[in-house]
Amino acid sequence: MAPLALRSSLSARPSLRAVRTSRSSVRTAAAADREMWLKGSSAPAHLDGSLPGDFGFDPLGLGTDPERLKWFADAEINNGRWAMLGVTGIAGQEALGLNNGGHWFDVAKIGAEGPWNISPISLLPIQFGIMSVIELNRYNAFNGKSDEVGNFSSLFPLDPMNMDSPSMRFKEVKHARLAMLAFVGCFAQYCATGAGPFENVAAHVSNPFGATIFSTLSHLGEA
């Protein structure tokens, strides 16, 4: 009787192969439900979807080191925040007519030569000093260290309205990436046309076939 009962209990247990197959099918289903940067693509092993805005995009494998991946994610969101501020300033000063007849690229120069009469060479060390304090505080906060530079490390992370949530983090990353692309576009556009974003949009609307990226490229280098 004992061998028969043992054989019966063993046959009732799921086989190791069945368990592995079941787990594999679950992982496959989860991967299929995950939104990827390219439909049908698969994410590398180090991008498991836990980071906000993780669409499995890392073709160069830059984030294989967990510590480096954490730093890259922090750097991306901080550069994106600066880009969001920059693009808002570029569009806002032109839309509100605060550019004194110039362009966003020249606003800092116009402002320096205006009320404060500070030359760009003098402005550079001032900005470098201020930004060094801010960035060192942010770096210390990132590493969980006590404040060693100033007295406002508690500002990082900044969330005065208690809006932090997985949904808001996801939205911030998406807006940050869009803003970085927009800033590169504004910069390249000004270098090519010498005009601001709204001027270029107005020119294209008034002449949809004559004012395009192709017409701009065809006239690059001309006086």
Side-chain angles (χ1 to χ4, degrees), residues 122-137 149 152:
S122 301
L123 190 62
L124 184 62
I126 296 174
Q127 292 181 332
F128 182 81
I130 294 173
M131 291 303 301
S132 295
V133 173
I134 295 175
E135 283 298 294
L136 284 173
N137 273 275
V149 186
F152 51 89

Side-chain angles (χ1 to χ4, degrees), residues 11-186:
S11 62
R13 293 179 182 179
S15 65
L16 182 59
R17 179 178 298 178
V19 171
R20 287 177 176 174
T21 303
S22 176
R23 290 176 180 175
S24 177
S25 62
V26 169
R27 285 196 298 266
T28 303
D33 294 337
R34 181 179 170 188
E35 186 178 0
M36 304 296 294
W37 70 278
L38 180 64
K39 189 174 182 179
S41 63
S42 58
H46 60 278
L47 296 180
D48 57 4
S50 59
L51 289 173
D54 178 7
F55 294 100
F57 181 78
D58 187 15
L60 301 179
L62 300 177
T64 52
D65 182 355
E67 290 300 318
R68 189 169 58 178
L69 177 62
K70 183 181 177 182
W71 173 253
F72 282 156
D74 186 77
E76 179 187 37
I77 195 62
N78 279 282
N79 281 282
R81 288 166 180 168
W82 283 115
M84 286 188 281
L85 287 172
V87 171
T88 301
I90 290 170
Q93 57 87 26
E94 185 177 345
L96 299 175
L98 303 177
N99 51 4
N100 297 323
H103 297 99
W104 70 269
F105 204 87
D106 303 315
V107 166
K109 179 181 177 181
I110 295 172
E113 294 175 350
W116 300 283
N117 194 25
I118 303 176
S119 68
I121 299 300
S122 301
L123 190 62
L124 184 62
I126 296 174
Q127 292 181 332
F128 182 81
I130 294 173
M131 291 303 301
S132 295
V133 173
I134 295 175
E135 283 298 294
L136 284 173
N137 273 275
R138 183 181 68 82
Y139 182 74
N140 285 335
F142 173 80
N143 289 316
K145 297 180 180 179
S146 59
D147 183 19
E148 301 172 359
V149 186
N151 196 28
F152 51 89
S153 62
S154 60
L155 292 178
F156 302 97
L158 179 65
D159 185 22
M161 301 180 68
N162 295 319
M163 297 179 65
D164 186 24
S165 69
S167 174
M168 292 301 293
R169 292 189 180 193
F170 177 69
K171 292 177 181 178
E172 183 182 32
V173 170
K174 293 184 70 174
H175 283 88
R177 291 169 178 169
L178 182 62
M180 287 188 282
L181 288 173
F183 182 80
V184 172
C186 289

